[in-house]
Amino acid sequence: DAGITQSPRHKVTETGTPVTLRCHQTENHRYMYWYRQDPGHGLRLIHYSYGVKDTDKGEVSDGYSVSRSKTEDFLLTLESATSSQTSVYFCAISEGRGMNTEAFFGQGTRLTVV
Amino acid sequence: AQKITQTQPGMFVQEKEAVTLDCTYDTSDQSYGLFWYKQPSSGEMIFLIYQGSYDEQNATEGRYSLNFQKARKSANLVISASQLGDSAMYFCAMREARGSSNTGKLIFGQGTTLQVKP
């Protein structure tokens, strides 16, 4: 199994508070991704990183920011959590960006904003 | 714009029978890869099978096969001899290869929940 650890695994937070989710990998893969999973929408890309300090927005990036100061860590921050950000968040890593390169996923973080 | 469509929100299949999960895609790229992932109730994403756009033969992995019809832009997953452990959500995904603009991101469909009946 690919070494990907997401923390925390579960979190309940109040509206308006900042929240940071962490993705840690031990595979030394260059590409890292944050997705959110919601019923009826599958997984949607929030942000991705193609190297240390190199990040870009995905299709649902509003209200989220990311940082990658080390190869192994990719942080997702909700600056001011809203109820619409209640979701399951997945981190994924990929060695390359080729069309046949498999992506490996973390276990997911279930976030509830109340 | 690239898009993946899974039109079956839920499916039932009898144990030991075969089942087909539908996936259609839209892309203007000639080079792309198609993936299927399984998500059991425990939540993890498990890679099942891959098909490249230039592959002439349908991909197979054990009881999983991919019915790839390029002209129709469909990549249906076929599970033969269903088992109770196959009950899960299944996602179809696509990755394009567009030179320097390629981010390696996967685009996912909405998913299909499969329930295997004993």
Side-chain angles (χ1 to χ4, degrees), chain A residues 36-44 84-88, chain B residues 110:
Chain A
R36 59 177 290 173
Q37 181 181 4
D38 304 289
H41 292 278
L43 279 75
R44 293 179 292 175
S84 64
Q85 293 175 311
T86 292
S87 187
V88 179
Chain B
Q110 306 93 317

Coordinates of all heavy atoms in Angstrom, one line a residue, chain A residues 36-44 84-88, chain B residues 110:
Chain A
R36 N -12.7 16.6 -2.8 CA -13.8 16.4 -1.9 C -14.9 15.5 -2.5 O -15.1 15.5 -3.8 CB -14.5 17.7 -1.5 CG -15.0 18.6 -2.6 CD -15.7 19.9 -2.0 NE -16.9 19.6 -1.3 CZ -17.7 20.5 -0.7 NH1 -17.2 21.7 -0.6 NH2 -18.8 20.1 0.0
Q37 N -15.5 14.7 -1.7 CA -16.5 13.7 -2.2 C -17.8 14.1 -1.6 O -18.0 14.1 -0.4 CB -16.1 12.3 -1.8 CG -17.2 11.3 -2.3 CD -16.8 9.8 -2.0 OE1 -15.9 9.6 -1.2 NE2 -17.6 8.9 -2.4
D38 N -18.8 14.3 -2.5 CA -20.2 14.6 -2.1 C -21.1 13.7 -2.8 O -20.9 13.5 -4.0 CB -20.5 16.1 -2.3 CG -19.5 17.0 -1.6 OD1 -19.6 17.1 -0.4 OD2 -18.7 17.6 -2.3
P39 N -22.2 13.3 -2.2 CA -23.2 12.5 -2.9 C -23.7 13.1 -4.2 O -24.0 14.3 -4.3 CB -24.4 12.4 -1.9 CG -23.7 12.6 -0.6 CD -22.6 13.6 -0.8
G40 N -23.7 12.3 -5.3 CA -24.2 12.8 -6.6 C -23.1 13.6 -7.4 O -23.4 14.0 -8.5
H41 N -22.0 13.9 -6.8 CA -20.9 14.6 -7.5 C -19.6 13.8 -7.6 O -18.7 14.3 -8.3 CB -20.6 15.9 -6.7 CG -21.7 16.9 -6.7 ND1 -21.9 17.8 -7.7 CD2 -22.7 17.1 -5.7 CE1 -23.0 18.5 -7.4 NE2 -23.4 18.2 -6.2
G42 N -19.6 12.7 -7.1 CA -18.3 11.9 -7.2 C -17.2 12.7 -6.4 O -17.5 13.3 -5.4
L43 N -16.0 12.6 -6.9 CA -14.9 13.4 -6.3 C -14.5 14.6 -7.2 O -14.4 14.4 -8.4 CB -13.6 12.5 -6.2 CG -13.6 11.5 -5.0 CD1 -14.5 10.3 -5.2 CD2 -12.1 11.0 -4.8
R44 N -14.4 15.7 -6.6 CA -14.1 16.9 -7.3 C -12.8 17.5 -6.8 O -12.6 17.6 -5.6 CB -15.2 17.9 -7.2 CG -16.5 17.5 -7.9 CD -17.6 18.5 -7.7 NE -18.0 18.6 -6.3 CZ -18.9 19.5 -5.8 NH1 -19.4 20.4 -6.6 NH2 -19.3 19.5 -4.5
S84 N -21.4 24.3 3.9 CA -21.3 23.7 2.5 C -20.0 23.0 2.3 O -19.8 22.3 1.3 CB -21.4 24.8 1.5 OG -20.4 25.7 1.5
Q85 N -19.1 23.2 3.3 CA -17.8 22.5 3.2 C -17.8 21.2 4.0 O -16.8 20.5 4.1 CB -16.7 23.4 3.7 CG -16.4 24.5 2.7 CD -15.4 25.5 3.2 OE1 -15.4 26.0 4.4 NE2 -14.5 25.9 2.3
T86 N -19.0 20.8 4.6 CA -19.1 19.5 5.2 C -19.0 18.5 4.1 O -19.7 18.5 3.1 CB -20.5 19.4 5.8 OG1 -20.5 20.2 7.0 CG2 -20.8 18.0 6.3
S87 N -18.1 17.6 4.2 CA -17.7 16.7 3.1 C -16.7 15.6 3.6 O -16.2 15.7 4.7 CB -17.2 17.4 1.9 OG -17.0 16.6 0.8
V88 N -16.4 14.7 2.7 CA -15.3 13.8 2.9 C -14.2 14.3 2.0 O -14.4 14.4 0.8 CB -15.7 12.3 2.6 CG1 -14.5 11.4 2.8 CG2 -16.8 11.9 3.5
Chain B
Q110 N -19.9 10.4 -11.2 CA -20.7 10.6 -10.0 C -20.7 9.3 -9.1 O -21.0 9.4 -7.9 CB -22.1 11.0 -10.3 CG -22.3 12.2 -11.2 CD -22.4 11.8 -12.7 OE1 -21.6 10.9 -13.2 NE2 -23.3 12.4 -13.4

